[in-house]
Amino acid sequence: MEEKIKELRAAIEQASADVTDKARLSDFWQKYLSKNGEVAGLTKSLRDVPKEDRPAVGKTINEFKQWAEAQYQALSEQVEKAALEARNAAETVDITMPAKIRQTGSLHPITLVKNEIIDVFAGMGFEIYEGPEIEDDDHNFTRLNVPKNHPARDMQDTFYVADDIVLRTQTSGGQIRVMDMEKPPIKVLAPGRVFRSDSDATHSPMFHQMEGLVVDKGITLCDLQGMLDKFVQALFGADVKTRLRPSYFPFTEPSVEVDVSCFECGGKGCPLCKHTGWIEVLGAGVVHHSVLENCGIDPNVYSGFAFGIGIERIAMLKYGINNIGLMFENDLRFLKQFED
Ligand code: DAH
């Protein structure tokens, strides 16, 4: 038996040298350590050993078995390690390759301008109200003094969702919603998206407005102009001036168009102000008495002013953008110019 074990040990040692991969490792196990393998064969041949010698020989066989299993274990780790090294070698990382740079976003120019406008008016005590983008005809038109069949409805090309439901064409409906909820004194700013069937270099079917409304006792057009002066100076520079031109909006009386002196040329005349020295920036006026009445506010006691700012228009002027479409194409070459 001693002799047999010695031979088997030599055979296993020799075979170990050939175990270089998983397939051979498996063969090794099959040949020597499986149930019908050669090591198990030794245990079986214990039958032929004289009874009195069996305990000692059995022990020797057991020890040998443990040695063979340890041998297998070592080979298995060796094969595993070699496989890992081979994989690592095949998958080397080239640390000289440029890294993937994670793109971080930045605020859109419309958001930048919107925040800037809010900042100015928040400093004057205005609160923010955001109304619904899908609006009923009542809030978008009728209670703003534009009843059905009124020609002023043609001023805005409307997207209808249902008979009396529209995609709001203006944030002015926010005036009505605020006056329904609150009694004067009122000082709100209502920013939001608006929609009109209109599209060219300066018009987009979706754009953004910022509505302003002030209602209190004794409010006049002078208050409006004083406040707008502060606003345009914060946005365009301390030297710019405002000018009011008569205009028409159904919900204000009188209505005005507000111009700023050209911040590009200082009013001398240049391509930006079309050589007039002035640039139109927003519409405004004294809140029409019918609008106040429509909201249960007595026009004999209270008065107010309102204004509507086109955010894209301000952004285009401020940043020198010549096509409104650029704002909505999401071209990174455009957007990256507004990163902090
Ligand atoms: N809603 C008007 C528009 O979309 C803008 C506007 C003009 C709003 C005068 C006002 C205002 O509040 O007083 O063209």
Side-chain angles (χ1 to χ4, degrees):
M1 181 62 73
E2 287 282 304
E3 198 51 36
K4 255 190 178 173
I5 291 179
K6 212 171 149 195
E7 275 170 24
L8 193 48
R9 183 189 294 272
I12 287 179
E13 275 170 349
Q14 208 183 341
S16 296
D18 293 336
V19 176
T20 47
D21 58 28
K22 286 201 170 155
R24 291 193 192 168
L25 181 70
S26 167
D27 290 347
F28 177 96
W29 186 85
Q30 204 61 37
K31 186 160 192 293
Y32 299 110
L33 289 166
S34 65
K35 221 161 86 195
N36 300 315
E38 294 189 19
V39 175
L42 287 179
T43 315
K44 279 179 200 149
S45 62
L46 203 56
R47 274 189 247 119
D48 308 330
V49 174
K51 219 175 188 174
E52 62 279 15
D53 293 342
R54 277 185 203 164
V57 175
K59 192 169 172 245
T60 314
I61 292 174
N62 260 342
E63 278 166 10
F64 176 67
K65 201 173 156 193
Q66 274 167 20
W67 171 84
E69 278 167 357
Q71 189 74 8
Y72 171 79
Q73 192 57 37
L75 286 173
S76 160
E77 279 164 22
Q78 203 174 297
V79 165
E80 200 70 46
K81 196 168 159 227
L84 183 68
E85 275 165 7
R87 213 172 71 210
N88 281 347
E91 291 176 7
T92 42
V93 177
D94 181 354
I95 58 163
T96 62
M97 291 266 284
K100 265 194 196 158
I101 295 176
R102 205 172 277 269
Q103 302 256 5
T104 48
S106 57
L107 293 181
H108 192 278
I110 292 185
T111 308
L112 290 173
V113 169
K114 177 178 129 180
N115 290 347
E116 207 179 330
I117 298 174
I118 289 176
D119 263 4
V120 177
F121 285 103
M124 295 192 246
F126 279 70
E127 287 175 53
I128 306 294
Y129 167 79
E130 286 186 61
E133 290 174 4
I134 298 176
E135 184 58 285
D136 56 41
D137 184 281
D138 243 21
H139 288 87
N140 195 78
F141 290 124
T142 307
R143 291 175 68 199
L144 283 166
N145 204 28
V146 193
K148 289 246 153 73
N149 305 320
H150 190 287
R153 289 203 181 212
D154 298 340
M155 287 167 77
Q156 301 171 359
D157 228 334
T158 312
F159 290 115
Y160 280 85
V161 175
D163 271 356
D164 277 324
I165 308 289
V166 302
L167 294 186
R168 67 175 172 199
T169 58
Q170 51 188 356
T171 45
S172 303
Q175 294 186 34
I176 305 293
R177 290 192 172 269
V178 168
M179 287 190 279
D180 276 349
M181 289 186 297
E182 286 177 36
K183 292 300 147 216
I186 290 170
K187 231 176 174 184
V188 288
L189 212 52
R193 272 189 209 111
V194 299
F195 307 84
R196 288 182 201 175
S197 177
D198 201 359
S199 186
D200 60 33
T202 53
H203 296 89
S204 154
M206 183 282 297
F207 61 106
H208 299 75
Q209 285 186 335
M210 182 83 76
E211 192 81 12
L213 174 72
V214 172
V215 183
D216 202 350
K217 287 178 180 155
I219 297 291
T220 70
L221 208 57
C222 295
D223 299 307
L224 171 71
Q225 186 158 23
M227 207 199 57
L228 290 179
D229 275 345
K230 289 269 172 280
F231 162 62
V232 297
Q233 283 160 7
L235 246 77
F236 297 114
D239 298 334
V240 301
K241 293 179 180 53
T242 53
R243 175 177 83 170
L244 306 186
R245 270 183 299 114
S247 182
Y248 171 76
F249 297 103
F251 34 84
T252 44
E253 177 60 42
S255 302
V256 294
E257 217 65 74
V258 180
D259 296 341
V260 293
S261 56
C262 183
F263 42 85
E264 190 78 13
C265 64
K268 287 200 253 350
C270 71
L272 183 67
C273 59
K274 299 194 184 94
H275 304 282
T276 63
W278 295 93
I279 298 172
E280 183 184 315
V281 286
L282 58 100
V286 171
V287 181
H288 199 289
H289 62 86
S290 301
V291 174
L292 292 176
E293 272 164 6
N294 289 342
C295 300
I297 295 177
D298 185 350
N300 297 313
V301 180
Y302 294 104
S303 58
F305 64 74
F307 56 88
I309 305 171
I311 301 184
E312 279 78 0
R313 172 148 178 85
I314 302 287
M316 289 171 82
L317 288 170
K318 205 172 148 65
Y319 299 125
I321 300 166
N322 58 9
N323 191 323
I324 198 170
L326 287 167
M327 306 250 210
F328 307 116
E329 280 169 4
N330 287 339
D331 187 327
L332 289 179
R333 289 169 302 179
F334 172 76
L335 296 173
K336 276 182 175 300
Q337 296 177 49
F338 303 94
E339 272 173 349
D340 285 338

